[in-house]
Amino acid sequence: MCGIWALFGSDECLSVQCLSAMKIAHRGPDAFRFENVNGFTNCCFGFHRLAVVDQLYGMQPIRVKKFPYLWLCYNGEIYNFKQLQKQFGFDYQTLVDGEVILHLYNRGGIEQTASMLDGVFAFILLDTANRKVFLARDTYGVRPLFKVLTDDGFLGVCSEAKGLINLKHSTSLCSKVEPFLPGHYEVLDLKPSGKVASVELVKFHSCKDEPLHVACDTVEALPSAGFDIDKVKSNIRILFENAVRKRLMAHRRIGCLLSGGLDSSLVAAVLLKLMKEININYPLQTFAIGMENSPDLLAARKVAAHIGSEHHEVILNTEEGIQAIEEVIFSLETYDITTIRASIGMYLVSKYIRKKTDSVVIFSGEGSDELTQGYIYFHKAPSPEEAAEESERLLKELYLFDVLRADRTTAAHGLELRVPFLDHRFTSYYLSLPAELRIPKNGIEKYLLRLSFEDSNLLPKEILWRPKEAFSDGIASVKKSWFSILQDYIDQQVDDLLLEKAAEKYPFNPPKTKESYYYRQIFEKHYPGRSSWLPHYWMPRWVKATDPSARTLKHYKSATQE
């Protein structure tokens, strides 16, 4: 995890512009470099480093003697860089996984480069010999990337929007900063003036398609025995374990978030098992946050005892959570209700990890709910086919919601997040299964995933079959959820009259509740006029919901009242 920043064709003094690069210093607390591009005095790169691999040669932009005309700034981890080296005979000059991007590009161009990378990434690649700039981002947008491109060809690129919004440019004061789309790459021509012109934006991978890099994966082709349930369960276990194994690549200590729900518990259990197998000589630290005796804390405690991790509990008090709201919204760059609620706990547990432990590479369970139909409203899906379509829609929008939350709350404290449920091969296989296999069954969501691990003894049965809890709800007590605690506080902060006139003040995505109004006010304070970053609020489908919390849904109430 790190922070990348680059400008092409700046009309303003670069020493002034580079102050904007310091807005993302939290993403890379270990080192910083600012470098001009030879021959293009108005083009430069900025890089904040969190040293996770190759502590000696890991600074960026990466340049190697073999390709003196290539400049690379990237954020992410490429898990198959050694397999690609073996397959194509690449001669690496560093131990940095991202160096493979230079070799792939030299061998087959940008299309092959983006398609063959197994990992999470956002990168800026400059080819001064051919006067091209390339931008690319992984399939699910696990690593963030924003850009601004003016009509006269000034380009700014950054890991977070906050590094671009205050850039100065002669022709426009308020240029449109926007997220770079996941699963895409963009080709831009670099003019002698340092300015750029976009040539094409290409989608190189869709979540349903088996990725091209399967050809050099550590797990060989799976036997095609149709959809026999035992074979399906075996494949799910094999691919998930492989997803966790490849993410063990790190020179810094590994830890794991553990809410006690199915997803983080499976990640923690498989992670610890594999760490033992490869003789990692320190205990796995697991981290849970919640109010005293909250459902998540109790469940996480049970999982930690079962798997034998070194478990840490962070007790959330109401005042601390409320005080964190503004800094959380600033970190997130969104005003989405459920994202903010869920981020507060994750932000505070990340703060604890950074201050109190030496774990830096943090595993988490993001992506499972979208992939395996874990949200409670999936029980109301009209048909398996519509549930499958909804699952794909949620995966495509992860970069706006859960993946955004997971990245910003951890990156704010200089931690690197790893999310095995969003492994390209695992997700494409799961999405290839018949729609009726993937829907909730017997009143239980994620039924197929649970069934696949039933005989593994990785988790206690009551955890494996524990019903879904939203993170923002599970950290609170059963009697009073976190969202209702927030609403009680905010009710005193927002006047009724303000809410009545909300649509006039905020015509795009107008707030409908005092809570959403409160969040929007804070967002607009830091990012005025940038409301289009959130195209719509996250809300459940097929139900008459006015609030995104699972606790307001009828299915949840009936389950907890039984």
Side-chain angles (χ1 to χ4, degrees), residues 105 110 123-127 132-136 185-188:
Y105 170 72
I110 190 63
F123 69 75
I124 309 154
L125 176 62
L126 168 63
D127 179 346
K132 297 286 184 189
V133 176
F134 303 96
L135 310 178
Y185 68 80
E186 185 170 11
V187 182
L188 303 106

Side-chain angles (χ1 to χ4, degrees), residues 372-386:
T372 66
Q373 303 184 16
Y375 293 115
I376 287 166
Y377 72 84
F378 272 100
H379 290 279
K380 304 292 184 184
S383 69
E385 290 70 29
E386 285 189 61

Side-chain angles (χ1 to χ4, degrees), residues 161-421:
K162 55 181 68 68
L164 300 175
I165 56 173
N166 293 320
L167 289 175
K168 304 285 189 294
H169 191 65
S170 55
T171 60
S172 63
L173 294 171
C174 193
S175 296
K176 190 179 181 187
V177 176
E178 55 191 3
F180 189 82
L181 288 175
H184 286 71
Y185 68 80
E186 185 170 11
V187 182
L188 303 106
D189 283 332
L190 178 66
K191 300 173 183 176
S193 64
K195 298 279 200 293
V196 302
S198 181
V199 176
E200 59 177 343
L201 179 68
V202 178
K203 185 173 186 176
F204 67 85
H205 185 233
S206 179
C207 55
K208 283 180 74 174
D209 300 333
E210 185 175 69
L212 286 181
H213 55 70
V214 164
C216 54
D217 199 353
T218 47
V219 170
E220 295 178 6
L222 298 170
S224 54
F227 297 113
D228 169 74
I229 191 64
D230 288 331
K231 182 49 68 178
V232 166
K233 291 191 302 184
S234 170
N235 288 344
I236 287 172
R237 289 192 302 274
I238 289 168
L239 290 178
F240 183 69
E241 193 167 296
N242 185 46
V244 176
R245 183 183 290 107
K246 68 178 73 166
R247 284 164 175 77
L248 289 170
M249 183 182 86
H251 296 160
R252 301 288 286 273
R253 184 166 183 164
I254 292 169
C256 189
L257 299 180
L258 180 59
S259 71
L262 174 68
D263 309 327
S264 63
S265 299
L266 266 181
V267 171
V270 173
L271 176 58
L272 196 140
K273 170 178 174 272
L274 295 176
M275 285 171 69
K276 285 179 180 174
E277 284 180 12
I278 62 171
N279 297 316
I280 288 179
N281 60 0
Y282 55 78
L284 174 67
Q285 293 180 328
T286 50
F287 304 94
I289 186 168
M291 295 178 175
E292 288 278 9
N293 297 318
S294 63
D296 276 7
L297 278 190
L298 298 175
R301 206 175 292 163
K302 195 174 288 184
V303 174
H306 182 85
I307 65 174
S309 63
E310 179 193 300
H311 192 54
H312 296 243
E313 291 184 353
V314 180
I315 304 301
L316 173 71
N317 67 63
T318 305
E319 189 179 335
E320 186 183 21
I322 287 167
Q323 282 178 349
I325 293 172
E326 181 155 355
E327 56 194 272
V328 165
I329 292 172
F330 176 72
S331 293
L332 291 175
E333 303 174 336
T334 188
Y335 52 94
D336 179 63
I337 305 160
T338 192
T339 302
I340 293 166
R341 286 179 191 162
S343 293
I344 293 167
M346 199 164 180
Y347 182 88
L348 292 173
V349 77
S350 298
K351 188 177 185 178
Y352 169 90
I353 294 169
R354 186 69 192 178
K355 283 188 172 182
K356 305 285 188 183
T357 78
D358 59 347
S359 286
V360 174
V361 176
I362 307 299
F363 280 68
S364 190
E366 270 70 34
S368 176
D369 284 323
E370 291 77 9
L371 176 67
T372 66
Q373 303 184 16
Y375 293 115
I376 287 166
Y377 72 84
F378 272 100
H379 290 279
K380 304 292 184 184
S383 69
E385 290 70 29
E386 285 189 61
E389 285 176 16
E390 174 67 358
S391 179
E392 288 169 39
R393 182 189 72 82
L394 288 170
L395 286 166
K396 287 171 187 169
E397 292 190 344
L398 266 171
Y399 76 106
L400 297 167
F401 301 108
D402 276 26
V403 153
L404 180 150
R405 162 179 58 79
D407 173 81
R408 300 304 195 286
T409 55
T410 50
H413 302 290
L415 304 176
E416 177 178 295
L417 191 79
R418 300 208 172 164
V419 283
F421 274 108

